[in-house]
Amino acid sequence: MIRLSKLQIGGALLSGGNLLQAVAAFAVNLVLVRYISPSDFGWFALVFAEASLVYAVLSIRTNVLVIRATEAQLDDDSRDMYFNAALQETVIATALIFVWLWLTNSAGRWETIIVLTLAVRHWTVLNKAYFERELPYTQLSVVETSAAFAGQLAALAVVLLGGGWIALVLRELAQTVMTLLALIRVRGVTLRRLRLLGPNDYQRLYYESRGVWLDGMLEATFGRLAIMAAGYIGGDALAGLVFQAQRLASVPHQVLAPFVNRIIMNWFSRVEEDDVRRRGRFRAVLVTIVLLSLAAIMTLLFADPVVPWLLGEDWAGTAPLMMGMVGLIVFLSPFEILRSYCVAIHRTRIVLVARIVQHLGFIIPVALAALGVIASSTGLSFGFSVAYAAAFIVVMLQLRHFERT
């Protein structure tokens, strides 16, 4: 059994670090939007979404498998298998992206940098799970906060020197490289024996990861496809506005993310008493819904006058989009808590049903917008709200049914 005090301290450190990151990102973003147009933001968001979509589809989420495994399950052979699976999927996904860029004559300098940045980030996130199993949240808080600040400072310097949208690319590059170097410094990078995976490895990975993979793929593709849908409906400018609105609406979740995605997953995976785990789930969901409802009310009251004042008139369209995303603000973090619970107890099928409902909840309003039945901005923002509210409700109903039977 892991100590609750260690989780509480770790959660406080990571949440505090994420709060600092959110404040820094918000402050730097106020400068970036004065120098970068919605269209340029949209171009970056679309390229980033299209490239990262490949990693999202191909990844079997070995980091989740490592975190979820018991000490007995994570023997040396398993560690080698997960390590090589993560490395090989990163290489294959990166190669496929470059082939596609070559076939479409899109392999420019900045596209190449974006892809290589995503490759390093993808492998680093997967590899970090070995280190995170030991709950080193003090080191992780310092690593992640320092890397985020490095990325924001790099973007600020580049945009003030006249680099324009290049600042967006270099922010991701600086943060990714800094994260990897800092993890190496605290011995948070794990290296294992290189070997090719055999048929038995692939069979085992298939059975262990199929639910986690499908959940992760649906989760990762949702946000990326949403940006791509905005680009299809309204071009780079609308994609930029949606990207900005989604980013601002997700700030409360960004602060809570260490708890709802990582700390609580570790706790759920190691608590042996079902009643204790269920009570912890209920309290976590209740507290987050109350806090996030307050954030949603503040958004509805103040987004319209405050956003144009902060970001400038070019970004005034962000305010109504944010107001339409109140469902995302309220339900994203509670849904992630329930998702972590289901993954920890090996009930990923419950999450998969919710993911399908989530996509349908988004697709219907967006389809109406694409057909001209409702405004494009209304369809996109309302789609986010419906998607996350529906996903949360579906998971709750399924868990109640499962626990009664």
Side-chain angles (χ1 to χ4, degrees):
M1 170 75 82
I2 54 179
R3 290 180 297 170
L4 184 60
S5 60
K6 192 171 185 179
L7 284 176
Q8 290 172 332
I9 294 171
L13 289 170
L14 281 178
S15 295
N18 269 42
L19 178 60
L20 292 176
Q21 294 173 43
V23 171
F26 183 79
V28 171
N29 193 56
L30 294 180
V31 179
L32 296 181
V33 295
R34 300 290 178 172
Y35 292 87
I36 304 173
S37 70
S39 294
D40 286 337
F41 258 101
W43 171 86
F44 167 77
L46 286 169
V47 172
F48 207 82
E50 290 168 357
S52 58
L53 187 62
V54 179
Y55 294 102
V57 171
L58 291 184
S59 179
I60 62 171
R61 277 71 183 178
T62 55
N63 56 329
V64 176
L65 302 182
V66 169
I67 291 290
R68 188 175 67 177
T70 65
E71 290 299 328
Q73 291 170 336
L74 198 64
D75 55 20
D76 279 343
D77 184 63
S78 297
R79 289 173 183 268
D80 288 345
M81 179 184 67
Y82 293 141
F83 174 82
N84 285 281
L87 179 62
Q88 290 168 32
E89 80 174 32
T90 302
V91 172
I92 292 170
T94 306
L96 287 175
I97 296 172
F98 277 121
V99 168
W100 174 252
L101 290 176
W102 177 73
L103 290 174
T104 58
N105 294 317
S106 303
R109 176 194 309 170
W110 296 108
E111 288 84 357
T112 300
I113 291 174
I114 289 173
V115 173
L116 292 177
T117 298
L118 284 169
V120 174
R121 178 177 298 182
H122 181 74
W123 183 83
T124 303
V125 168
L126 296 179
N127 188 272
K128 185 174 62 176
Y130 297 97
F131 184 54
E132 190 165 344
R133 274 182 61 88
E134 308 305 320
L135 311 180
Y137 291 122
T138 300
Q139 296 100 313
L140 283 174
S141 178
V142 173
V143 165
E144 293 170 6
T145 303
S146 300
F149 270 80
Q152 298 299 343
L153 290 174
L156 186 61
V158 171
V159 81
L160 291 177
L161 290 172
W165 56 264
I166 295 174
L168 302 175
V169 180
L170 295 186
R171 176 175 61 186
E172 304 301 323
L173 176 62
Q175 182 173 345
T176 299
V177 172
M178 181 64 179
T179 299
L180 179 59
L181 293 177
L183 282 172
I184 293 173
R185 179 70 178 82
V186 299
R187 299 183 180 179
V189 172
T190 299
L191 299 178
R192 304 290 301 181
R193 177 175 60 91
L194 294 176
R195 67 176 177 86
L196 294 176
L197 300 180
N200 291 336
D201 294 320
Y202 285 117
Q203 184 179 43
R204 179 180 166 188
L205 287 169
Y206 168 75
Y207 284 111
E208 288 187 12
S209 69
R210 54 186 176 177
V212 173
W213 166 78
L214 189 52
D215 167 51
M217 188 269 289
L218 291 173
E219 173 193 15
T221 56
F222 177 76
R224 291 158 177 81
L225 291 174
I227 296 297
M228 293 166 66
Y232 171 76
I233 294 173
D236 289 353
L238 182 57
L241 293 173
V242 171
F243 174 79
Q244 195 67 243
Q246 183 186 11
R247 182 167 187 157
L248 292 174
S250 300
V251 167
H253 174 70
Q254 181 184 349
V255 176
L256 295 174
F259 173 71
V260 303
N261 288 120
R262 297 163 64 179
I263 302 284
I264 205 164
M265 174 68 176
N266 244 334
W267 187 74
F268 284 149
S269 298
R270 284 157 179 74
V271 170
E272 297 177 358
E273 299 85 357
D274 290 338
D275 289 342
V276 173
R277 190 160 42 208
R278 281 196 288 267
R279 285 197 300 270
R281 181 194 77 200
F282 174 78
R283 291 170 183 169
V285 168
L286 180 62
V287 170
T288 53
I289 284 183
V290 171
L291 293 175
L292 293 170
S293 294
L294 295 175
I297 292 171
M298 296 293 287
T299 299
L300 290 173
L301 292 176
F302 299 109
D304 193 43
V306 171
V307 169
W309 176 71
L310 282 175
L311 306 185
E313 288 302 321
D314 288 345
W315 294 92
T318 303
L321 286 168
M322 276 189 67
M323 294 168 69
M325 293 181 184
V326 289
L328 180 154
I329 296 172
V330 174
F331 293 108
L332 173 54
S333 291
F335 171 73
E336 288 298 318
I337 292 172
L338 298 183
R339 184 195 66 82
S340 296
Y341 178 86
C342 292
V343 171
I345 65 171
H346 296 257
R347 293 289 172 180
T348 51
R349 182 174 297 180
I350 291 175
V351 183
L352 297 181
V353 174
R355 290 291 187 197
I356 294 171
V357 172
Q358 178 188 37
H359 280 69
L360 290 175
F362 181 78
I363 289 171
I364 293 172
V366 170
L368 293 175
L371 293 172
V373 177
I374 57 177
S376 300
S377 58
T378 302
L380 288 162
S381 60
F382 191 60
F384 277 99
S385 285
V386 173
Y388 283 104
F392 172 78
I393 292 170
V394 167
V395 173
M396 283 291 293
L397 292 176
Q398 289 184 96
L399 280 174
R400 288 187 64 184
H401 176 73
F402 166 70
E403 288 165 358
R404 286 177 176 177
T405 58

mmCIF file of all heavy atoms in Angstrom, residues 212-242:
data_model
loop_
_atom_site.group_PDB
_atom_site.id
_atom_site.type_symbol
_atom_site.label_atom_id
_atom_site.label_comp_id
_atom_site.label_asym_id
_atom_site.label_seq_id
_atom_site.Cartn_x
_atom_site.Cartn_y
_atom_site.Cartn_z
ATOM 1 N N VAL A 212 -6.620 -0.107 -23.408
ATOM 2 C CA VAL A 212 -5.906 1.136 -23.133
ATOM 3 C C VAL A 212 -5.585 1.866 -24.432
ATOM 4 O O VAL A 212 -5.703 3.096 -24.521
ATOM 5 C CB VAL A 212 -4.618 0.845 -22.333
ATOM 6 C CG1 VAL A 212 -3.779 2.104 -22.183
ATOM 7 C CG2 VAL A 212 -4.958 0.258 -20.975
ATOM 8 N N TRP A 213 -5.162 1.099 -25.450
ATOM 9 C CA TRP A 213 -4.832 1.713 -26.743
ATOM 10 C C TRP A 213 -6.045 2.395 -27.357
ATOM 11 O O TRP A 213 -5.962 3.550 -27.798
ATOM 12 C CB TRP A 213 -4.306 0.653 -27.721
ATOM 13 C CG TRP A 213 -4.273 1.173 -29.128
ATOM 14 C CD1 TRP A 213 -3.347 2.008 -29.672
ATOM 15 C CD2 TRP A 213 -5.241 0.927 -30.155
ATOM 16 N NE1 TRP A 213 -3.669 2.310 -30.982
ATOM 17 C CE2 TRP A 213 -4.827 1.653 -31.303
ATOM 18 C CE3 TRP A 213 -6.410 0.164 -30.215
ATOM 19 C CZ2 TRP A 213 -5.560 1.631 -32.492
ATOM 20 C CZ3 TRP A 213 -7.135 0.143 -31.402
ATOM 21 C CH2 TRP A 213 -6.701 0.861 -32.526
ATOM 22 N N LEU A 214 -7.172 1.709 -27.380
ATOM 23 C CA LEU A 214 -8.348 2.282 -28.020
ATOM 24 C C LEU A 214 -8.826 3.512 -27.257
ATOM 25 O O LEU A 214 -9.186 4.534 -27.862
ATOM 26 C CB LEU A 214 -9.464 1.243 -28.094
ATOM 27 C CG LEU A 214 -10.693 1.625 -28.926
ATOM 28 C CD1 LEU A 214 -10.302 2.081 -30.321
ATOM 29 C CD2 LEU A 214 -11.670 0.449 -29.005
ATOM 30 N N ASP A 215 -8.796 3.450 -25.932
ATOM 31 C CA ASP A 215 -9.176 4.620 -25.138
ATOM 32 C C ASP A 215 -8.233 5.786 -25.407
ATOM 33 O O ASP A 215 -8.662 6.912 -25.650
ATOM 34 C CB ASP A 215 -9.164 4.266 -23.655
ATOM 35 C CG ASP A 215 -9.245 5.491 -22.767
ATOM 36 O OD1 ASP A 215 -10.149 6.319 -22.993
ATOM 37 O OD2 ASP A 215 -8.385 5.639 -21.875
ATOM 38 N N GLY A 216 -6.936 5.512 -25.368
ATOM 39 C CA GLY A 216 -5.957 6.567 -25.597
ATOM 40 C C GLY A 216 -6.039 7.136 -26.993
ATOM 41 O O GLY A 216 -5.883 8.346 -27.201
ATOM 42 N N MET A 217 -6.273 6.266 -27.968
ATOM 43 C CA MET A 217 -6.386 6.729 -29.347
ATOM 44 C C MET A 217 -7.597 7.633 -29.519
ATOM 45 O O MET A 217 -7.517 8.703 -30.138
ATOM 46 C CB MET A 217 -6.469 5.525 -30.284
ATOM 47 C CG MET A 217 -6.403 5.872 -31.765
ATOM 48 S SD MET A 217 -8.036 6.140 -32.499
ATOM 49 C CE MET A 217 -8.680 4.462 -32.499
ATOM 50 N N LEU A 218 -8.735 7.229 -28.961
ATOM 51 C CA LEU A 218 -9.942 8.048 -29.068
ATOM 52 C C LEU A 218 -9.779 9.361 -28.316
ATOM 53 O O LEU A 218 -10.243 10.417 -28.773
ATOM 54 C CB LEU A 218 -11.142 7.278 -28.523
ATOM 55 C CG LEU A 218 -11.599 6.075 -29.357
ATOM 56 C CD1 LEU A 218 -12.677 5.288 -28.618
ATOM 57 C CD2 LEU A 218 -12.107 6.511 -30.728
ATOM 58 N N GLU A 219 -9.115 9.305 -27.165
ATOM 59 C CA GLU A 219 -8.873 10.526 -26.397
ATOM 60 C C GLU A 219 -7.986 11.499 -27.175
ATOM 61 O O GLU A 219 -8.291 12.687 -27.305
ATOM 62 C CB GLU A 219 -8.200 10.187 -25.064
ATOM 63 C CG GLU A 219 -7.773 11.416 -24.277
ATOM 64 C CD GLU A 219 -6.834 11.083 -23.137
ATOM 65 O OE1 GLU A 219 -6.282 9.963 -23.111
ATOM 66 O OE2 GLU A 219 -6.638 11.952 -22.276
ATOM 67 N N ALA A 220 -6.883 10.995 -27.687
ATOM 68 C CA ALA A 220 -5.916 11.862 -28.363
ATOM 69 C C ALA A 220 -6.440 12.385 -29.693
ATOM 70 O O ALA A 220 -6.144 13.519 -30.083
ATOM 71 C CB ALA A 220 -4.605 11.103 -28.571
ATOM 72 N N THR A 221 -7.193 11.554 -30.403
ATOM 73 C CA THR A 221 -7.687 11.994 -31.707
ATOM 74 C C THR A 221 -8.812 13.009 -31.561
ATOM 75 O O THR A 221 -9.033 13.817 -32.480
ATOM 76 C CB THR A 221 -8.198 10.799 -32.533
ATOM 77 O OG1 THR A 221 -9.205 10.088 -31.798
ATOM 78 C CG2 THR A 221 -7.062 9.858 -32.881
ATOM 79 N N PHE A 222 -9.519 13.010 -30.436
ATOM 80 C CA PHE A 222 -10.658 13.915 -30.283
ATOM 81 C C PHE A 222 -10.245 15.380 -30.444
ATOM 82 O O PHE A 222 -10.792 16.113 -31.271
ATOM 83 C CB PHE A 222 -11.329 13.701 -28.925
ATOM 84 C CG PHE A 222 -12.459 14.650 -28.672
ATOM 85 C CD1 PHE A 222 -13.689 14.469 -29.289
ATOM 86 C CD2 PHE A 222 -12.291 15.749 -27.829
ATOM 87 C CE1 PHE A 222 -14.736 15.355 -29.071
ATOM 88 C CE2 PHE A 222 -13.328 16.637 -27.606
ATOM 89 C CZ PHE A 222 -14.549 16.434 -28.225
ATOM 90 N N GLY A 223 -9.282 15.810 -29.640
ATOM 91 C CA GLY A 223 -8.863 17.204 -29.714
ATOM 92 C C GLY A 223 -8.243 17.566 -31.041
ATOM 93 O O GLY A 223 -8.463 18.670 -31.570
ATOM 94 N N ARG A 224 -7.479 16.646 -31.605
ATOM 95 C CA ARG A 224 -6.817 16.929 -32.882
ATOM 96 C C ARG A 224 -7.830 17.009 -34.022
ATOM 97 O O ARG A 224 -7.743 17.879 -34.892
ATOM 98 C CB ARG A 224 -5.776 15.855 -33.154
ATOM 99 C CG ARG A 224 -4.585 15.937 -32.197
ATOM 100 C CD ARG A 224 -3.832 14.617 -32.090
ATOM 101 N NE ARG A 224 -2.661 14.728 -31.237
ATOM 102 C CZ ARG A 224 -2.698 14.684 -29.907
ATOM 103 N NH1 ARG A 224 -3.854 14.546 -29.285
ATOM 104 N NH2 ARG A 224 -1.591 14.787 -29.193
ATOM 105 N N LEU A 225 -8.781 16.092 -34.035
ATOM 106 C CA LEU A 225 -9.808 16.120 -35.075
ATOM 107 C C LEU A 225 -10.697 17.356 -34.935
ATOM 108 O O LEU A 225 -11.203 17.876 -35.936
ATOM 109 C CB LEU A 225 -10.651 14.846 -35.008
ATOM 110 C CG LEU A 225 -9.926 13.556 -35.429
ATOM 111 C CD1 LEU A 225 -10.820 12.341 -35.191
ATOM 112 C CD2 LEU A 225 -9.507 13.617 -36.893
ATOM 113 N N ALA A 226 -10.876 17.826 -33.702
ATOM 114 C CA ALA A 226 -11.672 19.034 -33.492
ATOM 115 C C ALA A 226 -11.002 20.232 -34.153
ATOM 116 O O ALA A 226 -11.663 21.049 -34.819
ATOM 117 C CB ALA A 226 -11.854 19.283 -31.995
ATOM 118 N N ILE A 227 -9.692 20.361 -33.985
ATOM 119 C CA ILE A 227 -8.959 21.456 -34.633
ATOM 120 C C ILE A 227 -9.015 21.309 -36.149
ATOM 121 O O ILE A 227 -9.212 22.288 -36.884
ATOM 122 C CB ILE A 227 -7.498 21.477 -34.153
ATOM 123 C CG1 ILE A 227 -7.423 21.779 -32.653
ATOM 124 C CG2 ILE A 227 -6.690 22.505 -34.937
ATOM 125 C CD1 ILE A 227 -7.961 23.131 -32.259
ATOM 126 N N MET A 228 -8.859 20.084 -36.624
ATOM 127 C CA MET A 228 -8.915 19.850 -38.069
ATOM 128 C C MET A 228 -10.306 20.157 -38.624
ATOM 129 O O MET A 228 -10.452 20.693 -39.725
ATOM 130 C CB MET A 228 -8.506 18.407 -38.365
ATOM 131 C CG MET A 228 -7.030 18.129 -38.045
ATOM 132 S SD MET A 228 -6.587 16.363 -37.982
ATOM 133 C CE MET A 228 -6.846 15.899 -39.692
ATOM 134 N N ALA A 229 -11.353 19.833 -37.851
ATOM 135 C CA ALA A 229 -12.722 20.158 -38.274
ATOM 136 C C ALA A 229 -12.914 21.663 -38.362
ATOM 137 O O ALA A 229 -13.547 22.169 -39.297
ATOM 138 C CB ALA A 229 -13.724 19.553 -37.297
ATOM 139 N N ALA A 230 -12.362 22.394 -37.396
ATOM 140 C CA ALA A 230 -12.456 23.856 -37.429
ATOM 141 C C ALA A 230 -11.756 24.408 -38.666
ATOM 142 O O ALA A 230 -12.262 25.330 -39.319
ATOM 143 C CB ALA A 230 -11.837 24.444 -36.165
ATOM 144 N N GLY A 231 -10.601 23.837 -38.995
ATOM 145 C CA GLY A 231 -9.898 24.276 -40.194
ATOM 146 C C GLY A 231 -10.665 23.976 -41.462
ATOM 147 O O GLY A 231 -10.679 24.775 -42.403
ATOM 148 N N TYR A 232 -11.332 22.846 -41.485
ATOM 149 C CA TYR A 232 -12.119 22.461 -42.662
ATOM 150 C C TYR A 232 -13.324 23.383 -42.831
ATOM 151 O O TYR A 232 -13.648 23.810 -43.944
ATOM 152 C CB TYR A 232 -12.590 21.016 -42.514
ATOM 153 C CG TYR A 232 -13.587 20.592 -43.570
ATOM 154 C CD1 TYR A 232 -13.176 20.293 -44.868
ATOM 155 C CD2 TYR A 232 -14.954 20.513 -43.269
ATOM 156 C CE1 TYR A 232 -14.103 19.917 -45.838
ATOM 157 C CE2 TYR A 232 -15.878 20.136 -44.225
ATOM 158 C CZ TYR A 232 -15.447 19.838 -45.511
ATOM 159 O OH TYR A 232 -16.366 19.483 -46.471
ATOM 160 N N ILE A 233 -13.992 23.713 -41.722
ATOM 161 C CA ILE A 233 -15.203 24.523 -41.793
ATOM 162 C C ILE A 233 -14.893 25.997 -42.041
ATOM 163 O O ILE A 233 -15.521 26.653 -42.867
ATOM 164 C CB ILE A 233 -16.029 24.374 -40.498
ATOM 165 C CG1 ILE A 233 -16.554 22.942 -40.371
ATOM 166 C CG2 ILE A 233 -17.194 25.362 -40.472
ATOM 167 C CD1 ILE A 233 -17.224 22.656 -39.048
ATOM 168 N N GLY A 234 -13.904 26.524 -41.301
ATOM 169 C CA GLY A 234 -13.670 27.973 -41.358
ATOM 170 C C GLY A 234 -12.269 28.402 -41.704
ATOM 171 O O GLY A 234 -11.948 29.591 -41.597
ATOM 172 N N GLY A 235 -11.397 27.468 -42.098
ATOM 173 C CA GLY A 235 -10.042 27.834 -42.482
ATOM 174 C C GLY A 235 -9.132 28.030 -41.282
ATOM 175 O O GLY A 235 -9.501 27.788 -40.129
ATOM 176 N N ASP A 236 -7.897 28.505 -41.543
ATOM 177 C CA ASP A 236 -6.891 28.664 -40.492
ATOM 178 C C ASP A 236 -7.343 29.630 -39.403
ATOM 179 O O ASP A 236 -7.032 29.427 -38.222
ATOM 180 C CB ASP A 236 -5.579 29.162 -41.094
ATOM 181 C CG ASP A 236 -4.866 28.096 -41.918
ATOM 182 O OD1 ASP A 236 -5.329 26.936 -41.904
ATOM 183 O OD2 ASP A 236 -3.855 28.423 -42.577
ATOM 184 N N ALA A 237 -8.076 30.683 -39.779
ATOM 185 C CA ALA A 237 -8.480 31.688 -38.793
ATOM 186 C C ALA A 237 -9.411 31.081 -37.735
ATOM 187 O O ALA A 237 -9.210 31.283 -36.532
ATOM 188 C CB ALA A 237 -9.162 32.867 -39.486
ATOM 189 N N LEU A 238 -10.429 30.347 -38.164
ATOM 190 C CA LEU A 238 -11.330 29.724 -37.206
ATOM 191 C C LEU A 238 -10.603 28.656 -36.391
ATOM 192 O O LEU A 238 -10.842 28.518 -35.181
ATOM 193 C CB LEU A 238 -12.530 29.106 -37.917
ATOM 194 C CG LEU A 238 -13.588 28.464 -37.006
ATOM 195 C CD1 LEU A 238 -14.120 29.467 -35.999
ATOM 196 C CD2 LEU A 238 -14.735 27.862 -37.823
ATOM 197 N N ALA A 239 -9.701 27.915 -37.036
ATOM 198 C CA ALA A 239 -8.912 26.925 -36.301
ATOM 199 C C ALA A 239 -8.090 27.600 -35.212
ATOM 200 O O ALA A 239 -7.959 27.081 -34.094
ATOM 201 C CB ALA A 239 -7.998 26.161 -37.259
ATOM 202 N N GLY A 240 -7.541 28.784 -35.515
ATOM 203 C CA GLY A 240 -6.775 29.518 -34.513
ATOM 204 C C GLY A 240 -7.633 29.970 -33.350
ATOM 205 O O GLY A 240 -7.229 29.887 -32.184
ATOM 206 N N LEU A 241 -8.841 30.460 -33.638
ATOM 207 C CA LEU A 241 -9.755 30.887 -32.571
ATOM 208 C C LEU A 241 -10.187 29.711 -31.700
ATOM 209 O O LEU A 241 -10.244 29.823 -30.464
ATOM 210 C CB LEU A 241 -10.980 31.575 -33.181
ATOM 211 C CG LEU A 241 -10.738 32.916 -33.877
ATOM 212 C CD1 LEU A 241 -12.000 33.386 -34.578
ATOM 213 C CD2 LEU A 241 -10.259 33.966 -32.878
ATOM 214 N N VAL A 242 -10.507 28.586 -32.332
ATOM 215 C CA VAL A 242 -10.910 27.396 -31.571
ATOM 216 C C VAL A 242 -9.747 26.888 -30.724
ATOM 217 O O VAL A 242 -9.920 26.508 -29.558
ATOM 218 C CB VAL A 242 -11.415 26.303 -32.526
ATOM 219 C CG1 VAL A 242 -11.628 24.980 -31.771
ATOM 220 C CG2 VAL A 242 -12.719 26.725 -33.187
#
